[in-house]
Amino acid sequence: MNRIDLEGRVVAITGGARGIGYAVAQRALNSGASVALWDIDGERLARSQRELSALGKVTAVTVELTQEAAVQHAVAQTVLDHGAIDVLINSAGITGGNGTTWELEPEMWRRVIDVNLIGPYLTCRAVVPQMLKQGYGRIVNIASVAGKEGNPNASHYSASKAGLIGLTKSLGKELATKNILVNAVTPAAAKTEIFDSMSQQHIDYMLSKIPMNRFLLPEEAASLILWLASEDCAFSTGSVFDLSGGRATY
Ligand SMILES: NC(=O)c1ccc[n+]([C@@H]2O[C@H](COP(=O)([O-])OP(=O)(O)OC[C@H]3O[C@@H](n4cnc5c(N)ncnc54)[C@H](O)[C@@H]3O)[C@@H](O)[C@H]2O)c1
């Protein structure tokens, strides 16, 4: 595997305790970065921090990302621990289960928007002033092919990810002359613990839509995510990069 140049960079990863965020942390450490994991699951976070520390400097903050004050604290703690935040990866997310739009409860609909869209808005809002001070930054938002195509029985999730794509495009333009680049990736299904919150019927539906006829591997997601998080990514911002095995039609 090639080495992405992240030497000396500080990478903050929401949802870094497991799944795609964990794979990103692993690859970032193997690429010379130090890492701050931000996740709501304190127990899993401690375990992941222990495991990943074999590869380099890893700090962890237990944080509910929908809470503005908690997010501000995570940023302050990370800057204290590492001296900077060069890269922000917004990977934390939930599915909210599956059901038709008229069956899903308003409470769950709001919760999915809160975690998947308001959460990244709050982290960007808290981290960008630090990046502006540094004169450098890379932000990568983990959206979903569902945000481009709209999955049936997941209107809350699809809408939250479409919103995240919109946030990426706006923020990318706002920061275009500041050496802070903001991009999104749109994965198809990757077999992580997030599958536990979806119906088998929905998982089968997602697989049936992927021309490569297999699931995305978290490591494959980390490759693209961390290239976008590197200095090599220099003329792309406010953009959406496909990770859907051929499913995306635009
Ligand atoms: N795995 C897939 O099939 C797939 C496909 C497309 C997009 N995505 C997106 O990729 C991202 C990562 O997915 P994953 O498969 O690694 O999921 P995962 O469930 O394995 O990990 C998500 C992590 O986010 C954390 N988290 C959830 N809500 C939080 C909150 N309010 N505050 C702080 N942390 C919170 C969880 O504790 C967990 O550790 C998500 O945004 C997901 O929507 C995943």
Side-chain angles (χ1 to χ4, degrees), residues 68-137:
E68 190 184 342
V71 171
Q72 292 287 355
H73 165 74
V75 172
Q77 187 61 52
T78 301
V79 173
L80 204 66
D81 291 338
H82 296 266
I85 299 179
D86 300 301
V87 175
L88 170 65
I89 310 292
N90 280 310
S91 186
I94 58 170
T95 69
N98 299 118
T100 58
T101 304
W102 60 95
E103 286 165 348
L104 291 168
E105 293 294 336
E107 200 182 329
M108 185 52 86
W109 230 90
R110 287 200 179 93
R111 178 67 185 159
V112 171
I113 299 292
D114 220 15
V115 174
N116 294 0
L117 179 56
I118 307 293
Y121 154 68
L122 290 176
T123 56
C124 289
R125 186 172 186 277
V127 166
V128 164
Q130 173 66 30
M131 290 179 167
L132 284 169
K133 241 189 279 173
Q134 296 164 186
Y136 180 87

Side-chain angles (χ1 to χ4, degrees), residues 15 17-21 39-41 63-65 91-94 111 115 142-144 157 161 187-190 192-195:
R18 57 164 70 71
I20 293 173
D39 203 289
I40 198 172
D41 183 346
V63 53
E64 163 55 82
L65 291 160
S91 186
I94 58 170
R111 178 67 185 159
V115 174
I142 317 307
S144 168
Y157 184 79
K161 296 299 188 179
T192 66
E193 287 170 55
I194 210 169
F195 271 31

